[in-house]
Structures are given as structure tokens and as C-alpha cells.
Amino acid sequence: MPPPCSPQCSRSAGWRRAAAAAVPAAAAPAPPPGSSASGSALVVADLAPFSGPDAALGPTYLVSCDGATQAINNAGGVLGHKLTCKGVDTRGDPADAVPATTQMFATTSNLALVIGCTSDEAASVVPIVNAHKMVAFCMTGQSEFDSVHFPYFYRLVPPDLEESYAMIAIAQQLGYKKIALAFGNDIGSQTFIQPAISAVSKAGMTLVANETLDLSASSFRTEADKIVSAHPDVILTEALGPTDATFLSEVKQLNGGTMIPVIGTSADISPDWYKSVAAAIGASTLASSFHADNLVTETSGPAYTPFYSAIMSEQGKVGSTGDFSTYLTAPGAVHLYDGINLAALAMAEAKSTVPSVYAPYIEKIGDGTPARWSCTPTPRGSPRSSRARPSATRGRAVRPASTPSTTPPASSRSTPTTPPEPSR
């Protein structure tokens, strides 16, 4: 996570550069996205679910957005502009996401960056965002973005294929042989299933159950009973909202009061998920039985300190009422903090807030090859989480250096992450 620039660390005074003189409106067509008068606020849109089954995702990203933009603003802004955040609710449904995205562009004149765009709606909204030549850092691991070329699409998250394999690697490390899958019926959760099935087979394990959880249901006893009856060593799951809490509670009840171990996706690392599941099965039970596929974040170093300050400054302002410190490892908060900083640094290097102009600089800066700006560096391998030197490759998948290979890796390649004990 690159620390926000300041006059002391930027040879070209990137954050404080004056914007170029604006072209008179009468002499030019409508300005491109991101172009605005000097001193006006630039908008970062959090295009994500704020309602519906995946409603916890939007606020998580907003924590990161507010924290990152405030840190940038405190360092002087970018090219004479302050940054501000705006939530745009997709409801996690393409039918709602498309009109919400269209309205976002119609009503946000100073839009400079889009974040969020989860697997629930990315396939529907990314083409719209790309058509507007707007840079987007998306929280989707869908495999269709591994090859489809959208020049303004970026992601710092691993593809779902590799995250599914990482979950199997964690199961290998823990000695589990019999695997049960329990994923929500939303688009974002369903993308994990086929890669997980493939990984189970390649790892020589046995898939004993595969249940889909209807996020609109209030009970999952039928699915829980099938899984308990299959006697799995572990359950792999992602089902957001109250679903996993209810489902896992019923698993525990039907299993004679004993919890079957659980491995969650990175989306399960959130205060809302911890709080609801802890209440359902017990905080100590959750802490002892739950692992997650996550990129382990170190808690020291030149990049971590401003990140910690930026995220924790939002406590009580936005996000969950659960254990707020969980945001320090929540992938949405971590990756989007990086993405916003990368975009702002690219603006400074390009001397433009127009996405079509600054976009080419994102990859250069993400790969550690800036031309003129210089901030406090984070050396290769230094504490910045396992995504040291994040690559932001334009128009294709981006993954951290430590992401597992496309074959279930040896146990040394993936580290189980046990979450902190949830707030009671």
C-alpha cells in the first residue's frame, strides 16, 4: 500500500501540482470524466451493494475510501483538488446495478475513479464503466476478467480460481480429506464452486457434499442436515448477510453441539460476518474452528502505519459496529486503499485527473517504476502484507506476488488465517 504523498516525499510535488488551465466551455464539447475546474472536489464512487444480501460490502469499501481520500487530502490533495467519496448502491443485483451505474455517470460531473464493482454486478457494470473511459478498481475475481480486455478495469484481488485453490491448500495444511461446499446463490459466491470442485479433485481429496444456500431463506436445516450426514472434515463457505450465521448455527445443532471446522473466502473477513456468526455459534467456537483464505497483513512498517491511521480514523463514522480493527485485514479495505492511492499517484504523474490520461501510469506505479514522483518506498518483501509490490496490470487480471499457482499448492504456499476473536 503506497503511503500518501506529501511535499516532503514528492520531488515533483505531485499532490500539490496546479491543474492545467481549463478550456472554456463554449470552445469545447462536454469535458471527459474526471476533468474539472481547479480546486473542485474529485469524486471516488463506491459502486457496490449497500442493501440486499451483500449489503455489508459497500460500507466496507467506503471505510477504505473515506480513510484513503482523507489521508490524501491531508497531504495536500492531488493537482489542486481534494477527493471525496460517494456511495452508489447496486443492491448486488445486475438489474439494479445497471441503472444505478448509468445514473452515477449522469449525475456525477467530477467523477474521477470507481471502486467496488463486486462479482455480483461486475459483469454487467464494467462494460458501462469502460465505455465511459473511467478507471475502476473492482473487487471481483470472476474468471471472465482473466481474458476479456477492458482497458480501464483493474483489480488487486486474485481470481476466484486461485482463491478456491488457496482454500483447498489451507485444508491440506490442516490435514482435512473430506470436503463439503456451502455457498450462497448470489453471483459472487457461485463463482467459487467449480474451481473448488476442480481443486478438490486435483488435491486427491473427496467432495462429500455441495449445497447451495438461498440467501432469501430464513432456515437451512435441510442443507445443514445433508452436510452433517456426509461427515465432512471441513466446510468451505461464502454466504453473506445473515445466511452463514443461520446455516452454521444449524450445522452445530444438528452435529450434537459440535462445530464442524470452516474455511471461508476472503469476503468472510468482515466485522459484520464475525459479529453475526459469533452470536450464532459462540465467539470462542468461531475463533477455534474458523480459518479464512486471506492475504496476511503485517502490522508494522512504513506503509502500514499510515494505512492503520487512515482506516482507524473512520471508526464510528462509517462501517460496522462490530470489531472495527477487522477492517485492517478485510480485503476490500486493504486492496481499495491501495487502488485509490495508486490512482491518485497516477494522476499526479500524468498531470491530469482525466482517467483516459492517467490510466497508463497506474501499471507503471503499481509495478514500482514511476518516472518522476518519489514517496517513502516500501522495499520488495517489506511489511506491506503478502501483496508486496502489487501489480496493477491494465485490462487483465492482477494478483499479488504470493498468490498460489493454478495447481493446489504445497502447504508452504498458503498460510491459514485465524481471525481475531469477534466482538461479543
Side-chain angles (χ1 to χ4, degrees):
M1 60 186 75
C5 279
S6 68
Q8 290 74 27
C9 71
S10 176
R11 287 197 296 267
S12 58
W15 297 122
R16 295 185 182 274
R17 268 195 214 112
V23 177
S35 61
S36 53
S38 178
S40 58
L42 301 177
V43 177
V44 179
D46 177 6
L47 181 64
F50 284 82
S51 58
D54 291 343
L57 298 178
T60 296
Y61 305 158
L62 202 57
V63 168
S64 185
C65 187
D66 285 347
T69 55
Q70 186 59 47
I72 292 168
N73 291 342
N74 290 343
V78 57
L79 299 176
H81 301 277
K82 299 293 187 180
L83 277 70
T84 187
C85 299
K86 172 183 179 178
V88 180
D89 187 8
T90 66
R91 296 185 60 81
D93 186 333
D96 295 305
V98 168
T101 303
T102 302
Q103 171 116 12
M104 174 187 72
F105 281 107
T107 59
T108 314
S109 59
N110 291 344
L111 186 62
L113 176 66
V114 171
I115 63 170
C117 36
T118 72
S119 295
D120 288 339
E121 66 276 322
S124 299
V125 304
V126 167
I128 300 172
V129 174
N130 192 75
H132 281 81
K133 297 183 178 181
M134 175 58 59
V135 169
F137 275 91
C138 294
M139 292 298 296
T140 175
Q142 287 170 291
S143 60
E144 65 194 85
F145 293 107
D146 294 353
S147 57
V148 177
H149 186 74
F150 292 106
Y152 299 95
F153 168 86
Y154 301 84
R155 69 183 182 194
L156 295 175
V157 295
D160 289 341
L161 171 71
E162 299 197 5
E163 187 165 4
S164 294
Y165 279 16
M167 295 171 77
I168 297 302
I170 295 172
Q172 281 183 318
Q173 290 181 1
L174 297 173
Y176 299 139
K177 302 294 185 182
K178 296 186 294 182
I179 311 297
L181 306 181
F183 285 82
N185 64 347
D186 58 303
I187 297 172
S189 299
Q190 287 290 302
T191 59
F192 289 97
I193 295 176
Q194 288 307 315
I197 292 174
S198 175
V200 167
S201 175
K202 290 182 179 182
M205 298 174 171
T206 302
L207 181 66
V208 298
N210 180 10
E211 296 297 320
T212 296
L213 308 178
D214 183 351
L215 300 187
S216 65
S218 58
S219 176
F220 306 94
R221 291 189 70 84
T222 299
E223 294 83 357
D225 184 58
K226 289 180 180 179
I227 286 179
V228 170
S229 298
H231 304 292
D233 296 326
V234 66
I235 300 170
L236 274 56
T237 187
E238 178 186 291
L240 303 183
T243 300
D244 256 342
T246 302
F247 165 69
L248 294 175
S249 174
E250 291 172 340
V251 166
K252 182 179 178 181
Q253 292 170 10
L254 293 170
N255 198 43
T258 300
M259 190 64 219
I260 298 172
V262 173
I263 298 174
T265 70
S266 57
D268 291 339
I269 305 170
S270 76
D272 289 302
W273 193 93
Y274 288 158
K275 184 177 181 179
S276 62
V277 176
I281 68 174
S284 60
T285 299
L286 177 60
S288 63
S289 63
F290 177 72
H291 289 76
D293 168 31
N294 188 28
L295 302 176
V296 180
T297 303
E298 300 293 345
T299 56
S300 62
Y304 182 81
T305 300
F307 168 69
Y308 176 91
S309 298
I311 296 301
M312 295 308 292
S313 70
E314 298 305 308
Q315 187 168 11
K317 300 177 185 177
V318 68
S320 172
T321 56
D323 184 356
F324 199 85
S325 66
T326 313
Y327 284 118
L328 297 171
T329 56
V334 173
H335 293 313
L336 294 178
Y337 176 90
D338 285 354
I340 293 166
N341 272 282
L342 282 169
L345 287 166
M347 294 177 200
E349 181 62 20
K351 301 181 182 179
S352 175
T353 61
V354 178
S356 60
V357 176
Y358 78 74
Y361 292 89
I362 293 175
E363 183 176 347
K364 296 177 183 178
I365 294 171
D367 287 340
T369 56
R372 290 183 297 277
W373 63 269
S374 176
C375 288
T376 304
T378 305
R380 182 189 293 270
S382 67
R384 178 165 66 181
S385 92
S386 59
R387 65 198 186 291
R389 289 178 57 83
S391 174
T393 305
R394 197 174 185 197
R396 60 187 177 85
V398 175
R399 44 188 174 269
S402 64
T403 300
S405 65
T406 54
T407 302
S411 59
S412 61
R413 294 290 300 279
S414 178
T415 301
T417 299
T418 303
E421 186 170 336
S423 57
R424 290 173 172 78

Short mmCIF file of all heavy atoms in Angstrom, two decimals, residues 177-238:
data_model
loop_
_atom_site.label_atom_id
_atom_site.label_comp_id
_atom_site.label_asym_id
_atom_site.label_seq_id
_atom_site.Cartn_x
_atom_site.Cartn_y
_atom_site.Cartn_z
N LYS A 177 -9.46 -34.21 4.62
CA LYS A 177 -9.58 -35.05 3.43
C LYS A 177 -10.97 -34.98 2.79
O LYS A 177 -11.11 -35.07 1.58
CB LYS A 177 -9.27 -36.51 3.77
CG LYS A 177 -7.88 -36.76 4.37
CD LYS A 177 -6.78 -36.46 3.36
CE LYS A 177 -5.42 -36.83 3.95
NZ LYS A 177 -4.32 -36.51 3.00
N LYS A 178 -11.99 -34.86 3.63
CA LYS A 178 -13.37 -34.86 3.14
C LYS A 178 -13.93 -33.44 3.19
O LYS A 178 -14.00 -32.83 4.26
CB LYS A 178 -14.23 -35.81 3.97
CG LYS A 178 -13.79 -37.28 3.86
CD LYS A 178 -14.73 -38.22 4.58
CE LYS A 178 -14.72 -38.01 6.08
NZ LYS A 178 -15.61 -38.95 6.79
N ILE A 179 -14.33 -32.93 2.04
CA ILE A 179 -14.69 -31.52 1.89
C ILE A 179 -16.17 -31.36 1.59
O ILE A 179 -16.73 -32.08 0.74
CB ILE A 179 -13.89 -30.88 0.74
CG1 ILE A 179 -12.39 -31.20 0.87
CG2 ILE A 179 -14.13 -29.37 0.68
CD1 ILE A 179 -11.73 -30.64 2.10
N ALA A 180 -16.82 -30.42 2.26
CA ALA A 180 -18.19 -30.02 1.94
C ALA A 180 -18.18 -28.57 1.49
O ALA A 180 -17.44 -27.75 2.03
CB ALA A 180 -19.10 -30.20 3.15
N LEU A 181 -18.99 -28.25 0.49
CA LEU A 181 -19.13 -26.88 0.00
C LEU A 181 -20.51 -26.36 0.36
O LEU A 181 -21.51 -27.08 0.24
CB LEU A 181 -18.96 -26.82 -1.52
CG LEU A 181 -17.68 -27.42 -2.11
CD1 LEU A 181 -17.68 -27.24 -3.64
CD2 LEU A 181 -16.45 -26.78 -1.49
N ALA A 182 -20.57 -25.10 0.81
CA ALA A 182 -21.85 -24.46 1.12
C ALA A 182 -21.72 -22.98 0.75
O ALA A 182 -21.22 -22.17 1.53
CB ALA A 182 -22.19 -24.61 2.60
N PHE A 183 -22.17 -22.65 -0.46
CA PHE A 183 -22.03 -21.29 -0.96
C PHE A 183 -23.39 -20.69 -1.26
O PHE A 183 -24.35 -21.39 -1.63
CB PHE A 183 -21.16 -21.27 -2.22
CG PHE A 183 -19.69 -21.46 -1.94
CD1 PHE A 183 -19.16 -22.73 -1.76
CD2 PHE A 183 -18.85 -20.37 -1.83
CE1 PHE A 183 -17.82 -22.90 -1.48
CE2 PHE A 183 -17.51 -20.53 -1.55
CZ PHE A 183 -16.99 -21.80 -1.37
N GLY A 184 -23.49 -19.37 -1.09
CA GLY A 184 -24.72 -18.66 -1.36
C GLY A 184 -25.09 -18.72 -2.83
O GLY A 184 -24.24 -18.98 -3.70
N ASN A 185 -26.35 -18.43 -3.13
CA ASN A 185 -26.81 -18.49 -4.52
C ASN A 185 -26.61 -17.18 -5.27
O ASN A 185 -27.09 -17.02 -6.39
CB ASN A 185 -28.28 -18.92 -4.58
CG ASN A 185 -29.23 -17.91 -3.93
OD1 ASN A 185 -28.79 -17.02 -3.21
ND2 ASN A 185 -30.53 -18.06 -4.15
N ASP A 186 -25.89 -16.23 -4.67
CA ASP A 186 -25.58 -14.99 -5.38
C ASP A 186 -24.44 -15.22 -6.36
O ASP A 186 -23.67 -16.18 -6.24
CB ASP A 186 -25.20 -13.89 -4.39
CG ASP A 186 -24.02 -14.28 -3.53
OD1 ASP A 186 -24.10 -15.33 -2.86
OD2 ASP A 186 -23.00 -13.56 -3.53
N ILE A 187 -24.32 -14.34 -7.34
CA ILE A 187 -23.32 -14.50 -8.40
C ILE A 187 -21.92 -14.58 -7.82
O ILE A 187 -21.12 -15.42 -8.20
CB ILE A 187 -23.43 -13.34 -9.41
CG1 ILE A 187 -24.78 -13.35 -10.10
CG2 ILE A 187 -22.31 -13.42 -10.44
CD1 ILE A 187 -25.04 -12.13 -10.97
N GLY A 188 -21.62 -13.67 -6.89
CA GLY A 188 -20.28 -13.60 -6.35
C GLY A 188 -19.84 -14.87 -5.65
O GLY A 188 -18.67 -15.28 -5.75
N SER A 189 -20.75 -15.52 -4.94
CA SER A 189 -20.40 -16.76 -4.23
C SER A 189 -20.35 -17.96 -5.15
O SER A 189 -19.50 -18.84 -4.99
CB SER A 189 -21.41 -17.01 -3.10
OG SER A 189 -21.41 -15.97 -2.16
N GLN A 190 -21.22 -17.99 -6.13
CA GLN A 190 -21.28 -19.14 -7.03
C GLN A 190 -20.02 -19.30 -7.88
O GLN A 190 -19.70 -20.40 -8.33
CB GLN A 190 -22.51 -19.03 -7.94
CG GLN A 190 -23.82 -19.31 -7.24
CD GLN A 190 -23.98 -20.77 -6.88
OE1 GLN A 190 -23.93 -21.65 -7.74
NE2 GLN A 190 -24.15 -21.06 -5.59
N THR A 191 -19.29 -18.22 -8.09
CA THR A 191 -18.10 -18.31 -8.94
C THR A 191 -16.99 -19.16 -8.32
O THR A 191 -16.06 -19.57 -9.01
CB THR A 191 -17.52 -16.91 -9.24
OG1 THR A 191 -17.18 -16.26 -8.01
CG2 THR A 191 -18.52 -16.06 -10.00
N PHE A 192 -17.08 -19.44 -7.02
CA PHE A 192 -16.05 -20.25 -6.35
C PHE A 192 -16.25 -21.75 -6.54
O PHE A 192 -15.31 -22.52 -6.35
CB PHE A 192 -16.04 -19.95 -4.85
CG PHE A 192 -15.49 -18.60 -4.50
CD1 PHE A 192 -16.35 -17.52 -4.28
CD2 PHE A 192 -14.13 -18.39 -4.38
CE1 PHE A 192 -15.87 -16.27 -3.96
CE2 PHE A 192 -13.63 -17.13 -4.06
CZ PHE A 192 -14.50 -16.08 -3.86
N ILE A 193 -17.46 -22.18 -6.87
CA ILE A 193 -17.80 -23.59 -6.74
C ILE A 193 -17.03 -24.48 -7.72
O ILE A 193 -16.39 -25.45 -7.31
CB ILE A 193 -19.32 -23.79 -6.89
CG1 ILE A 193 -20.04 -23.11 -5.72
CG2 ILE A 193 -19.66 -25.28 -6.93
CD1 ILE A 193 -21.55 -23.15 -5.81
N GLN A 194 -17.09 -24.20 -9.01
CA GLN A 194 -16.43 -25.07 -9.98
C GLN A 194 -14.91 -25.11 -9.77
O GLN A 194 -14.31 -26.19 -9.83
CB GLN A 194 -16.79 -24.65 -11.41
CG GLN A 194 -18.23 -24.99 -11.81
CD GLN A 194 -18.55 -26.46 -11.59
OE1 GLN A 194 -17.77 -27.35 -11.94
NE2 GLN A 194 -19.72 -26.73 -11.02
N PRO A 195 -14.25 -23.96 -9.53
CA PRO A 195 -12.81 -24.05 -9.22
C PRO A 195 -12.53 -24.88 -7.97
O PRO A 195 -11.54 -25.61 -7.92
CB PRO A 195 -12.41 -22.58 -9.01
CG PRO A 195 -13.39 -21.81 -9.81
CD PRO A 195 -14.68 -22.56 -9.68
N ALA A 196 -13.40 -24.79 -6.97
CA ALA A 196 -13.20 -25.56 -5.74
C ALA A 196 -13.35 -27.06 -6.01
O ALA A 196 -12.57 -27.88 -5.52
CB ALA A 196 -14.18 -25.12 -4.66
N ILE A 197 -14.35 -27.42 -6.80
CA ILE A 197 -14.56 -28.83 -7.15
C ILE A 197 -13.34 -29.37 -7.88
O ILE A 197 -12.84 -30.48 -7.61
CB ILE A 197 -15.83 -29.00 -8.00
CG1 ILE A 197 -17.08 -28.70 -7.15
CG2 ILE A 197 -15.92 -30.41 -8.57
CD1 ILE A 197 -18.37 -28.68 -7.93
N SER A 198 -12.82 -28.57 -8.81
CA SER A 198 -11.63 -28.98 -9.56
C SER A 198 -10.43 -29.14 -8.64
O SER A 198 -9.66 -30.10 -8.75
CB SER A 198 -11.33 -27.95 -10.64
OG SER A 198 -10.13 -28.23 -11.31
N ALA A 199 -10.28 -28.19 -7.71
CA ALA A 199 -9.14 -28.23 -6.79
C ALA A 199 -9.23 -29.43 -5.86
O ALA A 199 -8.21 -30.06 -5.54
CB ALA A 199 -9.09 -26.94 -5.97
N VAL A 200 -10.42 -29.76 -5.39
CA VAL A 200 -10.61 -30.94 -4.53
C VAL A 200 -10.13 -32.20 -5.25
O VAL A 200 -9.41 -33.03 -4.69
CB VAL A 200 -12.09 -31.08 -4.12
CG1 VAL A 200 -12.35 -32.45 -3.49
CG2 VAL A 200 -12.48 -29.98 -3.14
N SER A 201 -10.51 -32.31 -6.50
CA SER A 201 -10.13 -33.49 -7.28
C SER A 201 -8.61 -33.55 -7.48
O SER A 201 -7.99 -34.60 -7.29
CB SER A 201 -10.84 -33.46 -8.64
OG SER A 201 -10.42 -34.52 -9.46
N LYS A 202 -8.02 -32.42 -7.86
CA LYS A 202 -6.59 -32.39 -8.13
C LYS A 202 -5.76 -32.64 -6.88
O LYS A 202 -4.64 -33.15 -6.94
CB LYS A 202 -6.20 -31.05 -8.76
CG LYS A 202 -6.70 -30.88 -10.18
CD LYS A 202 -6.24 -29.55 -10.77
CE LYS A 202 -6.73 -29.40 -12.20
NZ LYS A 202 -6.26 -28.13 -12.81
N ALA A 203 -6.33 -32.28 -5.73
CA ALA A 203 -5.61 -32.46 -4.47
C ALA A 203 -5.78 -33.86 -3.90
O ALA A 203 -5.21 -34.19 -2.86
CB ALA A 203 -6.08 -31.43 -3.44
N GLY A 204 -6.58 -34.71 -4.57
CA GLY A 204 -6.78 -36.08 -4.08
C GLY A 204 -7.71 -36.16 -2.89
O GLY A 204 -7.71 -37.15 -2.16
N MET A 205 -8.53 -35.13 -2.70
CA MET A 205 -9.50 -35.12 -1.60
C MET A 205 -10.83 -35.66 -2.10
O MET A 205 -11.01 -35.97 -3.28
CB MET A 205 -9.66 -33.70 -1.05
CG MET A 205 -8.38 -33.12 -0.46
SD MET A 205 -8.63 -31.39 0.01
CE MET A 205 -7.12 -31.05 0.89
N THR A 206 -11.80 -35.73 -1.21
CA THR A 206 -13.13 -36.23 -1.56
C THR A 206 -14.17 -35.15 -1.29
O THR A 206 -14.24 -34.60 -0.19
CB THR A 206 -13.49 -37.48 -0.74
OG1 THR A 206 -12.51 -38.49 -0.97
CG2 THR A 206 -14.86 -38.02 -1.14
N LEU A 207 -14.98 -34.83 -2.29
CA LEU A 207 -16.09 -33.91 -2.12
C LEU A 207 -17.30 -34.71 -1.65
O LEU A 207 -17.84 -35.53 -2.39
CB LEU A 207 -16.41 -33.20 -3.44
CG LEU A 207 -17.54 -32.17 -3.40
CD1 LEU A 207 -17.15 -30.99 -2.53
CD2 LEU A 207 -17.89 -31.70 -4.81
N VAL A 208 -17.71 -34.48 -0.41
CA VAL A 208 -18.80 -35.29 0.16
C VAL A 208 -20.15 -34.58 0.12
O VAL A 208 -21.18 -35.23 0.30
CB VAL A 208 -18.46 -35.70 1.60
CG1 VAL A 208 -17.20 -36.56 1.64
CG2 VAL A 208 -18.29 -34.48 2.51
N ALA A 209 -20.15 -33.27 -0.08
CA ALA A 209 -21.42 -32.54 -0.15
C ALA A 209 -21.19 -31.21 -0.85
O ALA A 209 -20.12 -30.61 -0.74
CB ALA A 209 -21.99 -32.30 1.25
N ASN A 210 -22.24 -30.77 -1.56
CA ASN A 210 -22.17 -29.48 -2.26
C ASN A 210 -23.57 -28.86 -2.21
O ASN A 210 -24.45 -29.24 -2.99
CB ASN A 210 -21.70 -29.67 -3.70
CG ASN A 210 -21.63 -28.36 -4.48
OD1 ASN A 210 -21.75 -27.28 -3.91
ND2 ASN A 210 -21.45 -28.46 -5.79
N GLU A 211 -23.78 -27.94 -1.29
CA GLU A 211 -25.10 -27.35 -1.08
C GLU A 211 -25.09 -25.86 -1.41
O GLU A 211 -24.15 -25.14 -1.08
CB GLU A 211 -25.54 -27.54 0.37
CG GLU A 211 -25.74 -28.99 0.78
CD GLU A 211 -26.84 -29.67 -0.01
OE1 GLU A 211 -27.89 -29.02 -0.26
OE2 GLU A 211 -26.67 -30.85 -0.38
N THR A 212 -26.14 -25.43 -2.08
CA THR A 212 -26.33 -24.01 -2.40
C THR A 212 -27.32 -23.41 -1.40
O THR A 212 -28.39 -23.98 -1.15
CB THR A 212 -26.87 -23.84 -3.83
OG1 THR A 212 -25.89 -24.31 -4.76
CG2 THR A 212 -27.16 -22.36 -4.12
N LEU A 213 -26.96 -22.29 -0.82
CA LEU A 213 -27.78 -21.64 0.21
C LEU A 213 -28.53 -20.45 -0.39
O LEU A 213 -27.91 -19.52 -0.92
CB LEU A 213 -26.89 -21.17 1.37
CG LEU A 213 -25.96 -22.23 1.96
CD1 LEU A 213 -25.10 -21.62 3.08
CD2 LEU A 213 -26.75 -23.43 2.49
N ASP A 214 -29.83 -20.49 -0.32
CA ASP A 214 -30.68 -19.41 -0.82
C ASP A 214 -30.61 -18.24 0.15
O ASP A 214 -31.09 -18.34 1.29
CB ASP A 214 -32.11 -19.91 -0.97
CG ASP A 214 -33.05 -18.86 -1.55
OD1 ASP A 214 -32.64 -17.68 -1.70
OD2 ASP A 214 -34.21 -19.22 -1.86
N LEU A 215 -30.03 -17.13 -0.27
CA LEU A 215 -29.82 -16.01 0.64
C LEU A 215 -31.13 -15.37 1.12
O LEU A 215 -31.13 -14.62 2.08
CB LEU A 215 -28.97 -14.93 -0.05
CG LEU A 215 -27.57 -15.36 -0.49
CD1 LEU A 215 -26.78 -14.15 -0.99
CD2 LEU A 215 -26.81 -16.07 0.63
N SER A 216 -32.23 -15.69 0.46
CA SER A 216 -33.52 -15.14 0.89
C SER A 216 -34.23 -16.04 1.89
O SER A 216 -35.28 -15.67 2.43
CB SER A 216 -34.44 -14.92 -0.33
OG SER A 216 -34.78 -16.16 -0.94
N ALA A 217 -33.68 -17.21 2.16
CA ALA A 217 -34.32 -18.16 3.09
C ALA A 217 -34.02 -17.79 4.54
O ALA A 217 -33.05 -17.09 4.83
CB ALA A 217 -33.85 -19.58 2.79
N SER A 218 -34.85 -18.28 5.44
CA SER A 218 -34.66 -17.99 6.86
C SER A 218 -34.13 -19.20 7.63
O SER A 218 -33.77 -19.08 8.80
CB SER A 218 -35.99 -17.54 7.49
OG SER A 218 -36.99 -18.53 7.32
N SER A 219 -34.11 -20.37 6.98
CA SER A 219 -33.59 -21.58 7.62
C SER A 219 -32.91 -22.44 6.57
O SER A 219 -33.30 -22.44 5.40
CB SER A 219 -34.73 -22.36 8.28
OG SER A 219 -34.24 -23.59 8.82
N PHE A 220 -31.90 -23.19 7.02
CA PHE A 220 -31.13 -24.04 6.10
C PHE A 220 -30.95 -25.42 6.71
O PHE A 220 -29.93 -26.07 6.49
CB PHE A 220 -29.76 -23.38 5.82
CG PHE A 220 -29.88 -21.97 5.32
CD1 PHE A 220 -29.80 -20.90 6.20
CD2 PHE A 220 -30.11 -21.72 3.98
CE1 PHE A 220 -29.94 -19.60 5.75
CE2 PHE A 220 -30.24 -20.42 3.51
CZ PHE A 220 -30.16 -19.36 4.39
N ARG A 221 -31.95 -25.89 7.42
CA ARG A 221 -31.83 -27.17 8.12
C ARG A 221 -31.69 -28.32 7.13
O ARG A 221 -30.97 -29.29 7.40
CB ARG A 221 -33.04 -27.40 9.03
CG ARG A 221 -33.07 -26.47 10.23
CD ARG A 221 -34.15 -26.88 11.23
NE ARG A 221 -33.83 -28.12 11.92
CZ ARG A 221 -33.06 -28.18 13.00
NH1 ARG A 221 -32.52 -27.08 13.51
NH2 ARG A 221 -32.84 -29.35 13.57
N THR A 222 -32.35 -28.25 6.00
CA THR A 222 -32.23 -29.32 5.01
C THR A 222 -30.79 -29.42 4.51
O THR A 222 -30.20 -30.51 4.47
CB THR A 222 -33.17 -29.07 3.82
OG1 THR A 222 -34.52 -29.06 4.29
CG2 THR A 222 -33.01 -30.16 2.77
N GLU A 223 -30.22 -28.26 4.14
CA GLU A 223 -28.84 -28.24 3.64
C GLU A 223 -27.86 -28.62 4.75
O GLU A 223 -26.89 -29.38 4.52
CB GLU A 223 -28.49 -26.86 3.09
CG GLU A 223 -29.25 -26.45 1.85
CD GLU A 223 -30.63 -25.86 2.15
OE1 GLU A 223 -31.03 -25.83 3.35
OE2 GLU A 223 -31.30 -25.41 1.21
N ALA A 224 -28.11 -28.12 5.95
CA ALA A 224 -27.23 -28.43 7.07
C ALA A 224 -27.27 -29.92 7.40
O ALA A 224 -26.24 -30.54 7.68
CB ALA A 224 -27.64 -27.61 8.30
N ASP A 225 -28.45 -30.52 7.34
CA ASP A 225 -28.59 -31.94 7.64
C ASP A 225 -27.85 -32.80 6.63
O ASP A 225 -27.19 -33.78 7.00
CB ASP A 225 -30.07 -32.31 7.67
CG ASP A 225 -30.29 -33.76 8.09
OD1 ASP A 225 -29.86 -34.13 9.20
OD2 ASP A 225 -30.88 -34.52 7.30
N LYS A 226 -27.92 -32.42 5.35
CA LYS A 226 -27.21 -33.17 4.31
C LYS A 226 -25.70 -33.11 4.54
O LYS A 226 -25.00 -34.11 4.37
CB LYS A 226 -27.57 -32.63 2.93
CG LYS A 226 -28.98 -32.94 2.49
CD LYS A 226 -29.26 -32.36 1.11
CE LYS A 226 -30.69 -32.67 0.65
NZ LYS A 226 -30.96 -32.08 -0.68
N ILE A 227 -25.22 -31.94 4.93
CA ILE A 227 -23.78 -31.79 5.15
C ILE A 227 -23.34 -32.56 6.39
O ILE A 227 -22.33 -33.27 6.37
CB ILE A 227 -23.41 -30.30 5.23
CG1 ILE A 227 -23.46 -29.69 3.83
CG2 ILE A 227 -22.03 -30.11 5.86
CD1 ILE A 227 -23.12 -28.23 3.77
N VAL A 228 -24.07 -32.43 7.47
CA VAL A 228 -23.72 -33.16 8.69
C VAL A 228 -23.74 -34.66 8.44
O VAL A 228 -22.84 -35.40 8.89
CB VAL A 228 -24.67 -32.78 9.83
CG1 VAL A 228 -24.47 -33.70 11.04
CG2 VAL A 228 -24.46 -31.32 10.24
N SER A 229 -24.73 -35.13 7.69
CA SER A 229 -24.85 -36.57 7.40
C SER A 229 -23.70 -37.08 6.54
O SER A 229 -23.40 -38.27 6.53
CB SER A 229 -26.18 -36.86 6.70
OG SER A 229 -27.27 -36.51 7.54
N ALA A 230 -23.06 -36.17 5.78
CA ALA A 230 -21.94 -36.56 4.92
C ALA A 230 -20.63 -36.67 5.69
O ALA A 230 -19.63 -37.13 5.14
CB ALA A 230 -21.80 -35.57 3.77
N HIS A 231 -20.62 -36.22 6.93
CA HIS A 231 -19.44 -36.30 7.82
C HIS A 231 -18.18 -35.67 7.20
O HIS A 231 -17.14 -36.34 7.11
CB HIS A 231 -19.17 -37.75 8.21
CG HIS A 231 -20.33 -38.44 8.86
ND1 HIS A 231 -20.81 -38.09 10.12
CD2 HIS A 231 -21.14 -39.43 8.39
CE1 HIS A 231 -21.84 -38.85 10.42
NE2 HIS A 231 -22.08 -39.66 9.40
N PRO A 232 -18.24 -34.41 6.81
CA PRO A 232 -17.05 -33.78 6.24
C PRO A 232 -16.04 -33.44 7.34
O PRO A 232 -16.38 -33.29 8.51
CB PRO A 232 -17.60 -32.50 5.61
CG PRO A 232 -18.77 -32.16 6.48
CD PRO A 232 -19.38 -33.49 6.86
N ASP A 233 -14.78 -33.32 6.92
CA ASP A 233 -13.76 -32.82 7.84
C ASP A 233 -13.84 -31.31 7.97
O ASP A 233 -13.46 -30.75 9.00
CB ASP A 233 -12.36 -33.20 7.34
CG ASP A 233 -12.14 -34.69 7.30
OD1 ASP A 233 -12.69 -35.39 8.17
OD2 ASP A 233 -11.40 -35.15 6.40
N VAL A 234 -14.32 -30.65 6.92
CA VAL A 234 -14.35 -29.20 6.89
C VAL A 234 -15.41 -28.73 5.90
O VAL A 234 -15.73 -29.43 4.94
CB VAL A 234 -12.96 -28.63 6.50
CG1 VAL A 234 -12.60 -28.99 5.06
CG2 VAL A 234 -12.88 -27.13 6.70
N ILE A 235 -15.95 -27.54 6.17
CA ILE A 235 -16.92 -26.91 5.28
C ILE A 235 -16.27 -25.67 4.67
O ILE A 235 -15.77 -24.80 5.39
CB ILE A 235 -18.20 -26.50 6.03
CG1 ILE A 235 -18.88 -27.71 6.65
CG2 ILE A 235 -19.17 -25.77 5.09
CD1 ILE A 235 -20.01 -27.35 7.61
N LEU A 236 -16.27 -25.58 3.35
CA LEU A 236 -15.83 -24.36 2.67
C LEU A 236 -17.07 -23.54 2.35
O LEU A 236 -18.06 -24.07 1.80
CB LEU A 236 -15.10 -24.70 1.37
CG LEU A 236 -13.59 -24.99 1.45
CD1 LEU A 236 -13.30 -26.13 2.43
CD2 LEU A 236 -13.02 -25.30 0.08
N THR A 237 -17.04 -22.25 2.68
CA THR A 237 -18.27 -21.48 2.54
C THR A 237 -18.04 -20.02 2.21
O THR A 237 -16.98 -19.45 2.53
CB THR A 237 -19.11 -21.56 3.84
OG1 THR A 237 -20.38 -20.94 3.64
CG2 THR A 237 -18.40 -20.86 4.99
N GLU A 238 -19.02 -19.45 1.54
CA GLU A 238 -19.22 -18.00 1.46
C GLU A 238 -20.71 -17.78 1.25
O GLU A 238 -21.28 -18.16 0.24
CB GLU A 238 -18.46 -17.34 0.30
CG GLU A 238 -18.74 -15.83 0.23
CD GLU A 238 -18.11 -15.15 -0.98
OE1 GLU A 238 -16.87 -15.05 -1.01
OE2 GLU A 238 -18.86 -14.72 -1.88
#
